[in-house]
């Protein structure tokens, strides 16, 4: 059974599903764990994806969300997708720790990011724990991370390979235009 958290002051209603199976059956969305229904002003998600979807929603509401459909160049499209997804993952992490990550690539990405921030002291505010970041700081970090000329851009694409392949109609990525091998049928 899903539970519905009523909206307050124009904020979206949140409908939380007990399982991924229930979410897929009820919403007919087969490739994601949650989404924001703009018409209904409602976030629909599995319990472990709620914080992630709220992150997307707040990013969108702040006006900083980058619409991949407005980008014509494939690398810029990917950059926008990665940036948006990273904001949501980091937001969920600041609210729920590892409990806000429902997919293995999200955890892999977080471990990579935390390791390199400590080891190389890279990115904005390297001395501050990500768990203490606010939305604006998360957005700044995501914007900074996804620049295609960074040496780790292809690595980011690799972490998010499945996501990029299922969420977007993208057949090539990165500076070397490597073809995506989707693991989804
Ligand atoms: Zn997402």
């Amino acid at each position: 059974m899903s539970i519905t958290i009523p909206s307050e002051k124009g904020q979206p209603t949140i409908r939380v599903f007990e399982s991924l199976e229930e979410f897929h059956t009820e919403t007919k969305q087969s490739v994601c764990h949650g989404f924001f229904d703009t018409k209904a002003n409602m976030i629909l998600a599995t319990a472990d994806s709620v914080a992630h979807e709220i992150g997307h929603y707040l990013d969108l509401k702040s006006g900083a969300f980058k619409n991949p459909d407005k980008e014509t160049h494939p690398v810029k499209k990917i950059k926008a997708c990665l940036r948006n997804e990273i904001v949501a993952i980091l937001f969920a992490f600041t609210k729920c720790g590892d409990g806000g990550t429902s997919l293995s690539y999200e955890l892999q990405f977080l471990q990579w990011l935390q390791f390199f921030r400590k080891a190389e002291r890279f990115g904005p505010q390297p001395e501050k724990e990500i768990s203490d970041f606010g939305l604006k700081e998360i957005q700044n970090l995501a914007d900074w991370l996804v620049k295609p000329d960074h040496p780790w851009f292809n690595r980011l694409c690799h972490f998010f390979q499945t996501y990029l392949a299922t969420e977007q109609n993208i057949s090539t990525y990165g500076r070397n235009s490597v073809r995506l091998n989707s693991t989804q049928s």
Side-chain angles (χ1 to χ4, degrees), residues 1-58:
M1 278 286 286
S2 67
I3 58 160
T4 301
I5 304 163
S7 75
E8 270 178 48
K9 299 176 190 147
Q11 301 289 347
T13 306
I14 301 175
R15 191 164 165 206
V16 186
F17 296 87
E18 226 171 85
S19 68
L20 194 56
E21 290 69 33
E22 187 193 12
F23 172 80
H24 287 166
T25 310
E26 295 276 322
T27 66
K28 314 284 183 246
Q29 299 281 336
S30 60
V31 295
C32 65
H33 290 225
F35 65 97
F36 174 55
D37 181 338
T38 47
K39 279 198 193 115
N41 192 32
M42 185 188 277
I43 290 168
L44 302 96
T46 59
D48 54 4
S49 295
V50 170
H52 180 107
E53 296 307 325
I54 290 173
H56 277 311
Y57 167 76
L58 292 175

Side-chain angles (χ1 to χ4, degrees), residues 90-91 93-95 97 114 117 128-134 137-138:
L90 295 182
F91 179 83
F93 179 71
T94 63
K95 296 298 170 197
Q114 286 178 307
R117 285 183 83 244
K128 191 168 179 178
E129 295 291 338
I130 291 174
S131 49
D132 296 330
F133 273 25
E137 292 168 309
I138 288 170

